[in-house]
Amino acid sequence: MKLIALEGIHFGYGSHQSEILDDLNLVINRGECHCINGATGSGKSSMLHILAGEQCRPYEGDVYRAPSLLVGLVMQDPNAQVLRQSVGAEIAFALENLGIAADLMVGKVQQSLRRVGLYTSLDTPVEVLSLGQKYRLMMAAQLVFSPSLLLLDEPWAQLDDNGVKELNGVLKALLEDGVAIVMVEHNPSAF
């Protein structure tokens, strides 16, 4: 089932610069994993923001989105995404915005933490987490609302070898559950 498609996307950062995305075409189906690599400044993050529907700069081309599409985006620097002070509150933020009843939140938050292999108390301050743990926290904060498409901006950059192994397990389980994943990375050996 097609979740999203980019057709003939052209995007750049100014009239004097060349386009960084030039006639980009991409179709993402349920349960697929797309690993995209390129040099810094090649448009990887811009493409993720177009897929997420939050690119604020104009672009040309068409974007098809399935009516049921829910997108989760984890940016390269998890510190740029943190909104709350505790682990539980960070993950519950999305549920609050979706109007989920408070008595259902704790179970959903705990399940989301387990999915990413982050076993910590819900009242743990976000500031005490390592960068890799914060990245997994941001993944949990996206997974809690069951997105059909998960976008990851350079996930390996924040993780040690054990974190990479754990993330691979998480991603395999998500794919088995039918979640589509798009990862971008500047280092091709990361895939």
Side-chain angles (χ1 to χ4, degrees):
M1 176 179 126
K2 180 166 56 171
L3 294 176
I4 191 166
L6 304 181
E7 298 173 354
I9 299 295
H10 295 269
F11 177 78
Y13 279 104
S15 59
H16 298 87
Q17 297 179 346
S18 62
E19 294 179 333
I20 57 173
L21 299 177
D22 183 18
D23 198 28
L24 173 65
N25 295 288
L26 177 64
V27 175
I28 301 167
N29 296 301
R30 179 177 164 81
E32 290 182 343
C33 183
H34 294 262
C35 302
I36 299 167
N37 76 316
T40 299
S42 63
K44 302 180 305 295
S45 296
S46 297
M47 180 197 64
L48 289 182
H49 288 286
I50 291 170
L51 288 168
E54 60 178 36
Q55 181 55 263
C56 57
R57 293 182 177 269
Y59 59 87
E60 295 178 19
D62 296 313
V63 178
Y64 162 82
R65 296 176 192 285
S68 61
L69 179 67
L70 282 176
V71 179
L73 170 64
V74 182
M75 295 184 284
Q76 180 180 359
D77 179 4
N79 291 316
Q81 254 180 297
V82 173
L83 298 171
R84 300 288 179 89
Q85 294 181 352
S86 73
V87 166
E90 182 64 40
I91 298 172
F93 182 77
L95 299 176
E96 292 168 353
N97 286 319
L98 293 172
I100 303 296
D103 60 328
L104 299 176
M105 284 188 199
V106 172
K108 290 181 178 293
V109 168
Q110 289 172 333
Q111 179 185 15
S112 187
L113 280 170
R114 284 191 302 273
R115 272 184 105 173
V116 300
L118 188 57
Y119 299 97
T120 186
S121 169
L122 298 184
D123 60 356
T124 299
V126 172
E127 66 186 27
V128 303
L129 300 178
S130 70
L131 206 51
Q133 288 172 320
K134 286 179 185 176
Y135 196 88
R136 286 189 280 163
L137 173 63
M138 291 301 99
M139 281 188 64
Q142 299 302 301
L143 294 176
V144 75
F145 63 85
S146 301
S148 45
L149 173 60
L150 182 62
L151 308 173
L152 302 174
D153 195 351
E154 300 194 20
W156 316 122
Q158 311 301 339
L159 303 176
D160 59 17
D161 289 343
N162 191 47
V164 168
K165 183 179 175 182
E166 289 176 354
L167 179 59
N168 280 336
V170 170
L171 297 178
K172 286 178 185 177
L174 291 173
L175 290 170
E176 289 171 6
D177 289 345
V179 176
I181 299 169
V182 176
M183 292 185 290
V184 300
E185 176 66 55
H186 73 275
N187 181 0
S189 66
F191 302 125

